[in-house]
Amino acid sequence: MAGDERPAARKPYLAGGAEFAALYDVKRLQVSQWISRDQTLDYRYAKIISGSPYWLLQFVKGFGQTTPRTKHLNEVELARLIKEQDPGYWVGEVGQLPPLVGQAELVALFRLPSGALLRKAVGTGRFRPADYTLSGSPIWLLEPVMEDVPALQAGARGVDWAVDEQVLAALRDGTYDGPGAKIVPRGKAARQPSK
C-alpha cells in the first residue's frame, strides 16, 4: 500500500494532451486541433483511459517528423517527462501496453458509487498513489492495484472494495468498454450531431 517501500514498477512512457503540447511548445488546444481540424493526429497510438487519450511517448517523440510541416520536439521537455516516468520503457504499439486504469475504470472495477470514495482513499493513503499523473489525471498500472486488494479489503471502513471479475477480465484482455473507455465530447463538440 502507500506506506510500503516497494520498488517502483516499470511503466511504459506515455504523454497526455498537456504533455504532448509541451513537447511541441504549443497550447493544449493545438493538439485537439491536430486531431479534429487538420487530422494530422489520430488515436492509433493512444490508449483511452478515463475518457482521455494518452499517447505512446515513442509515437509523440517522432510525430513532428511525420507532419507536412516539420514540428520541432522540445528535447528538454522530453528529458523531463522521461525522468518523471522512470523507471520506464519504450512501447511502439498500443497492444504492447500493460493494463492501465484511471479513476473511471477503478470506480467500475470496485463497483464504487462515485469517484469521491476513490479520491478520498488515495488522499488518506489507504489506496496506492497513482503511477502517473498525466494532463492532471491519475493513472495506475492495474496489476499492482490488484496485488493490494487483500490489504485494501482487510482495512476497509464502509467500502468493501469488491472486485467485479468481468471488469477485471476485460481490463486485462483489452476488451473493456465501460465507463472511461471512450472519449466523451465536451464543449461545442458535445452539441454537434454525430455523423
Side-chain angles (χ1 to χ4, degrees):
M1 298 289 283
D4 293 348
E5 292 300 321
R6 296 181 185 174
R10 288 186 70 220
K11 304 174 286 199
Y13 294 124
L14 298 173
E19 293 80 18
F20 203 135
L23 286 164
Y24 285 99
D25 295 319
V26 297
K27 294 185 185 213
R28 187 171 178 176
L29 178 61
Q30 181 64 52
V31 175
S32 297
Q33 289 173 345
W34 288 337
I35 295 166
S36 64
R37 189 176 65 201
D38 54 14
Q39 299 178 342
T40 56
L41 179 62
D42 61 31
Y43 299 122
R44 281 180 294 168
Y45 293 97
K47 173 80 174 162
I48 307 305
I49 304 168
S50 287
S52 294
Y54 296 91
W55 283 272
L56 306 176
L57 190 55
Q58 180 70 35
F59 166 76
V60 176
K61 186 173 90 163
F63 172 73
Q65 301 305 310
T66 65
T67 58
R69 288 184 18 198
T70 301
K71 295 168 181 29
H72 298 285
L73 182 71
N74 181 327
E75 296 288 343
V76 172
E77 184 62 22
L78 177 63
R80 185 200 65 74
L81 192 56
I82 290 169
K83 183 177 180 183
E84 185 178 279
Q85 294 182 36
D86 272 338
Y89 61 97
W90 296 97
V91 175
E93 299 290 331
V94 172
Q96 297 170 326
L97 290 172
L100 298 163
V101 293
Q103 291 181 55
E105 293 83 1
L106 288 172
V107 167
L109 177 65
F110 291 112
R111 299 182 193 137
L112 300 173
S114 74
L117 291 170
L118 176 65
R119 288 188 295 277
K120 183 176 181 184
V122 170
T124 59
R126 289 180 301 168
F127 197 92
R128 75 172 29 251
D131 294 296
Y132 301 84
T133 299
L134 293 171
S135 296
S137 296
I139 300 172
W140 291 263
L141 294 164
L142 176 62
E143 295 310 327
V145 168
M146 295 312 300
E147 290 170 11
D148 288 350
V149 167
L152 190 60
Q153 291 171 336
R157 292 178 252 145
V159 177
D160 65 5
W161 298 98
V163 174
D164 183 316
E165 293 297 331
Q166 287 183 310
V167 171
L168 177 60
L171 287 166
R172 283 181 168 157
D173 69 19
T175 61
Y176 176 76
D177 65 355
K182 294 176 183 62
I183 296 173
V184 177
R186 296 175 181 85
K188 290 179 186 177
R191 293 188 291 272
Q192 294 177 350
S194 57
K195 295 177 184 177

